[in-house]
Amino acid sequence: SYNIHGCIGTDRKHDTTRVARVIREINADVLGLQELHAHGVGPDPSDEIQLLAAVSEFEVVTGTTFVGPRGDYGLALFSRLPVLAVRRIDLHVPPREPRCALDIDVAVDGGTLHVITTHLGLAPWERRLQVQRLTAAIVRDPSRLTVVLGDINEWFFLARTLRHLGAHFGQSSKARTWPSWQPLFALDRIWVNPIHALRGVFTHTTPAARLASDHFPVVADIDVS
């Protein structure tokens, strides 16, 4: 999971090539990205989604939340695994910024991997409503391997948001990802259910990642067998 901050790095420069370099370093099979643009307009017309997908050879599922000065904006799931089904969950809580989640099935050896990626809001009351809506929309199936990932925007490890998600999906990662120049908070998280499928979680802290965005990526190694 990686919040690319619109490809604006810690030096305040817009550079898609740096984000692409970090994505190649991670070399993930499934990747949730937040804060990216497509069909850009204005002084920088680059289409971040298509560029990042092309350099990484991913299939892309987009989750546009609104259209701004630089075109469509939101999140996306990049997958090297075949995408079987896509569902979009509306998490907009007016009058706050529109948000959504992508609820996706991808094919793995011997079965299906259920992946949910999202980017929750900045206000605590907003996140509580979004989590309630998210968990209500997802059918719990203990026999199915489920991964939840994204920028949860939760600063406090005892927050109600995390407790609610934990009750539904189990314990999340706690790797610190923000800010990338001195990570103090685990804003970006991954849940894996059942938990025994999780081999490990780490923050990707290379020099390229430190410069490319104000968030570090968080990476999970998952046994899908």
Side-chain angles (χ1 to χ4, degrees):
S1 183
Y2 189 16
N3 184 329
I4 65 172
H5 197 230
C7 291
I8 298 174
T10 52
D11 58 359
R12 301 185 181 180
K13 295 180 180 178
H14 179 268
D15 191 338
T16 54
T17 60
R18 296 187 300 202
V19 175
R21 185 179 307 120
V22 175
I23 290 174
R24 286 195 295 267
E25 289 177 349
I26 298 170
N27 194 31
D29 294 306
V30 177
L31 181 65
L33 295 180
Q34 304 89 41
E35 294 192 15
L36 72 169
H37 300 85
H39 317 300
V41 296
D44 186 351
S46 62
D47 186 327
E48 294 168 355
I49 292 177
Q50 294 305 317
L51 185 148
L52 296 175
V55 300
S56 307
E57 298 180 345
F58 282 104
E59 182 176 353
V60 181
V61 178
T62 58
T64 300
T65 53
F66 65 88
V67 179
R70 289 179 53 207
D72 294 357
Y73 177 85
L75 51 83
L77 183 102
F78 286 25
S79 179
R80 290 193 175 114
L81 305 173
V83 174
L84 302 176
V86 177
R87 297 163 292 272
R88 187 181 185 277
I89 303 172
D90 184 7
L91 300 180
H92 184 202
V93 180
R96 306 292 296 177
E97 175 185 314
R99 305 276 180 170
C100 75
L102 294 173
D103 182 7
I104 297 171
D105 294 332
V106 296
V108 295
D109 291 342
T112 303
L113 176 65
H114 185 208
V115 183
I116 301 103
T117 182
T118 191
H119 185 188
L120 300 186
L122 296 174
W125 61 269
E126 175 190 15
R127 290 194 296 273
R128 287 196 292 270
L129 292 174
Q130 289 169 337
V131 165
Q132 291 171 9
R133 194 177 302 174
L134 180 67
T135 53
I138 296 171
V139 178
R140 299 179 67 175
D141 184 354
S143 67
R144 181 171 60 172
L145 179 57
T146 300
V147 180
V148 181
L149 53 90
D151 182 352
I152 306 303
N153 261 327
E154 190 54 72
W155 306 76
F156 305 107
F157 68 96
L158 293 176
R160 191 183 306 176
T161 299
L162 296 178
R163 295 202 306 270
H164 191 110
L165 286 168
H168 203 82
F169 300 114
Q171 184 176 351
S172 78
S173 62
K174 298 178 182 178
R176 298 177 182 182
T177 58
W178 190 90
S180 58
W181 53 89
Q182 186 179 355
L184 299 173
F185 300 100
L187 299 189
D188 310 273
R189 290 179 179 257
I190 298 176
W191 286 259
V192 177
N193 194 332
I195 190 63
H196 63 73
L198 180 63
R199 289 176 173 171
V201 178
F202 63 92
T203 306
H204 185 77
T205 59
T206 62
R210 191 176 299 276
L211 183 61
S213 170
D214 62 343
H215 287 247
F216 276 132
V218 60
V219 183
D221 181 15
I222 301 168
D223 179 2
V224 299
S225 62

